Structures are given as structure tokens and as C-alpha cells.
């Protein structure tokens, strides 16, 4: 992979006047910049995602690369203390943010990440930084797929394809707009699994974002009417087609990021 730029939390490295590079000359030293973050996580979804709790997680994608000032924009390659503080404030944060490598190979792929930073010095001056990338998953993610299932009739059937490289299932963000009152069931033939919510009301909007479910109808005690089988998009090695049967007329909006088996 060849890349000279990346995006982190909506900002590009190049916008700060830096580029991805590689130092190899004698006399250079890599020295810890302090403020090293140890990321604590609790694995969820059978290890498919690691939720950040405070500092440390295991078995997630990691990478180390170096950056320096872009020679096209300056003749002064030394990184001052103020410039180091600016980069550290941006990159060395206690939270995971969207990280994208700006390369054609990674065009629609992203990670959720943060960094530890070390200084690259020569003669007591800083000329580069070594970035230790930490992510919260053992794989990458593809830009979200947004699916809208419209005009569903009673026992309407729909098909959703899972584009993930990882076998298993994903809990998507989901919004259901009811066009008829009654008991709602969403059956996924691939897993032989039913999501069931009783006592739905026409016009009601139900939102699911695992492990949370909520209703726009205040009087609907949805926690009592839900079977707690959150809707999942699944796949096996030979089958990625999710055949759904929906019991009530409704509109269903689904948003999920497929898992991608690719490193950094």
C-alpha cells in the first residue's frame, strides 16, 4: 500500500502540513512522547467489537507509521514544541474516532482508532513523529450501507445481502415506522430467528440500536412487549442472503457497516 495522507476525526494530515513518510538515516532516535494511552475495553458481540471502557483492549488491529512535514510546503522541517502539542491534541485522545487512509485501495474503508505518539529526534531536535495506531476491532469497516424497505404489506418478504467478510452477524441501527397496529414480527430465514414486538400502534416509530430499543409512543411499554431478539444481518461462508418476512405493513430503515478483513 502506498499512501501519504490520512483522515482522522474529519481532519486530514495534509491540512496540518504533514505527510506519511519513513525515516531510515543513522543518528535518528525514536523517543516516547509520554501520555501513552492503554486502552481498556470489554469485548461484545462475541469479540466482533470491543467497547472502550477506559484504556486497554486486546487482539485489535494496530499499526505503526511515521510522519514529517511536507517538503512541498516548507524548508524548515523541525517540529516545534507548539506544533507537537497541536498534533498531540488532535491525535493522542482518549476515545476512538473515524480513521481513513487516503488511498485508492482504501477508498470506502475506515477504522475506529486513536494514537500513541513518539518523537523522532536528531541532534536534540524533532524532525518527525512515530504514530502507533490503536483500533477497537480486529478488522476494518466499510462505509455504512443504508437500506430502506418500503411499502411492506402483511407478511411482506424482502431480501438483504450482508457484504461482510467476517462470518457471523451484525446488529444494525434500525428504524421501523408502523403503517398498521398489531404485533410485529421480523423473521430472518438465514438464522431462523424472529424479532417480535407486541402491541404496536399505527404511526409508531421504533428504533433499535443494540442494546437499546425505544418507541415514539410514551405509553408503549416496549421493554415488556419485546422478545429481546434484536434484529441482525447475518452471513455464512456460502450464504450472505437474509430473507426477511415482516408481519405488519411498515417502512424499515437499516444502517450498518460491513466488516472488512483487511489490515493497515
Amino acid at each position: 500500500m502506498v499512501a501519504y495522507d490520512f483522515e482522522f476525526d474529519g481532519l486530514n494530515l495534509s491540512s496540518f502540513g504533514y505527510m506519511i513518510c519513513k525515516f531510515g538515516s543513522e543518528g535518528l532516535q525514536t523517543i516516547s512522547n509520554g501520555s501513552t494511552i492503554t486502552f481498556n475495553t470489554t469485548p461484545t458481540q462475541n469479540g466482533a467489537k470491543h467497547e472502550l471502557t477506559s484504556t486497554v483492549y486486546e487482539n485489535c488491529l494496530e499499526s505503526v507509521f511515521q510522519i514529517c512535514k511536507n517538503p512541498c510546503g516548507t524548508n524548515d522541517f523541525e517540529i516545534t514544541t507548539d506544533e507537537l502539542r497541536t498534533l498531540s491534541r488532535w491525535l493522542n485522545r482518549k476515545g476512538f474516532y473515524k480513521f481513513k487512509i487516503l488511498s485508492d485501495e482504501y477508498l470506502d474503508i475506515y477504522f475506529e482508532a486513536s494514537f500513541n505518539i513518539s518523537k523522532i529526534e536528531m541532534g536534540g531536535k524533532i524532525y518527525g513523529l512515530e504514530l502507533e495506531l490503536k483500533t477497537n476491532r480486529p478488522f476494518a469497516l466499510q462505509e455504512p450501507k443504508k437500506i430502506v424497505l418500503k411499502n411492506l404489506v402483511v407478511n411482506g418478504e424482502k431480501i438483504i445481502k450482508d457484504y461482510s467478510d467476517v462470518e457471523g452477524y451484525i446488529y444494525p441501527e434500525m428504524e421501523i415506522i408502523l403503517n398498521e397496529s398489531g404485533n410485529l414480527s421480523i423473521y430472518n430465514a438465514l438464522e431462523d430467528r424472529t424479532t417480535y414486538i407486541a402491541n404496536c400502534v399505527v404511526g409508531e416509530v421504533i428504533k433499535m440500536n443494540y442494546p437499546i430499543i425505544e418507541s415514539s409512543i410514551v405509553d408503549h411499554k416496549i421493554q415488556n412487549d419485546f422478545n429481546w431478539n434484536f434484529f441482525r444481518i447475518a452471513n455464512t461462508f456460502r450464504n450472505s442472503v437474509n430473507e426477511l418476512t415482516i408481519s405488519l405493513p411498515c417502512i424499515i430503515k437499516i444502517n450498518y457497516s460491513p466488516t472488512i478483513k483487511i489490515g493497515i
Side-chain angles (χ1 to χ4, degrees):
M1 177 192 68
V2 177
Y4 300 99
D5 199 4
F6 64 77
E7 175 189 315
F8 181 68
D9 192 24
L11 298 174
N12 291 358
L13 178 67
S14 57
S15 67
F16 290 85
Y18 293 81
M19 62 180 290
I20 299 172
C21 66
K22 185 174 178 60
F23 290 89
S25 302
E26 294 182 359
L28 296 176
Q29 302 178 57
T30 300
I31 302 172
S32 174
N33 191 47
S35 301
T36 300
I37 301 171
T38 304
F39 295 92
N40 289 318
T41 62
T42 298
T44 62
Q45 303 176 32
N46 295 324
K49 180 179 180 182
H50 287 233
E51 302 288 351
L52 178 66
T53 57
S54 57
T55 50
V56 177
Y57 61 87
E58 297 179 359
N59 302 322
C60 295
L61 286 176
E62 299 181 0
S63 184
V64 176
F65 53 92
Q66 299 166 338
I67 63 171
C68 67
K69 287 186 177 180
N70 191 331
C72 296
T74 182
N75 292 320
D76 183 7
F77 300 110
E78 180 184 352
I79 300 174
T80 67
T81 299
D82 286 343
E83 291 169 337
L84 175 60
R85 288 179 60 189
T86 297
L87 290 173
S88 296
R89 179 177 174 82
W90 174 42
L91 299 173
N92 184 228
R93 295 155 70 179
K94 292 183 179 180
F96 294 126
Y97 299 87
K98 189 174 185 178
F99 169 80
K100 294 192 68 172
I101 299 170
L102 300 182
S103 164
D104 290 343
E105 299 175 63
Y106 287 75
L107 192 61
D108 64 344
I109 294 172
Y110 72 95
F111 306 84
E112 293 172 338
S114 192
F115 296 89
N116 288 321
I117 301 175
S118 297
K119 300 176 290 185
I120 299 175
E121 292 188 354
M122 184 171 63
K125 296 182 178 181
I126 306 170
Y127 287 97
L129 299 178
E130 185 167 276
L131 307 182
E132 183 183 3
L133 180 75
K134 300 278 188 176
T135 77
N136 67 342
R137 301 173 190 262
F139 37 71
L141 296 171
Q142 193 173 38
E143 290 291 351
K145 301 284 186 183
K146 296 184 179 180
I147 303 167
V148 179
L149 307 179
K150 295 182 178 180
N151 302 321
L152 293 181
V153 297
V154 175
N155 292 323
E157 295 183 356
K158 292 289 183 179
I159 291 177
I160 297 175
K161 184 176 180 180
D162 185 2
Y163 292 92
S164 299
D165 294 341
V166 180
E167 289 184 278
Y169 55 82
I170 294 173
Y171 291 103
E173 294 181 15
M174 192 173 192
E175 181 179 286
I176 305 168
I177 304 170
L178 277 301
N179 293 331
E180 183 177 301
S181 300
N183 299 329
L184 173 67
S185 65
I186 304 173
Y187 174 74
N188 190 339
L190 182 59
E191 289 194 295
D192 189 23
R193 177 185 172 91
T194 300
T195 298
Y196 180 84
I197 306 171
N199 301 317
C200 298
V201 179
V202 63
E204 181 177 6
V205 179
I206 296 172
K207 294 182 179 180
M208 295 187 197
N209 189 3
Y210 183 87
I212 297 171
I213 182 170
E214 56 186 342
S215 170
S216 63
I217 305 299
V218 177
D219 294 334
H220 188 182
K221 306 300 182 183
I222 197 167
Q223 294 81 3
N224 298 331
D225 290 333
F226 181 40
N227 69 348
W228 292 97
N229 283 342
F230 281 87
F231 177 77
R232 306 193 303 206
I233 297 175
N235 80 88
T236 65
F237 175 67
R238 289 183 170 82
N239 188 6
S240 60
V241 175
N242 293 248
E243 297 181 13
L244 311 180
T245 303
I246 298 96
S247 65
L248 289 178
C250 59
I251 297 173
I252 298 178
K253 300 178 181 179
I254 295 171
N255 186 22
Y256 82 105
S257 293
T259 53
I260 306 298
K261 283 190 173 181
I262 192 170
I264 306 169

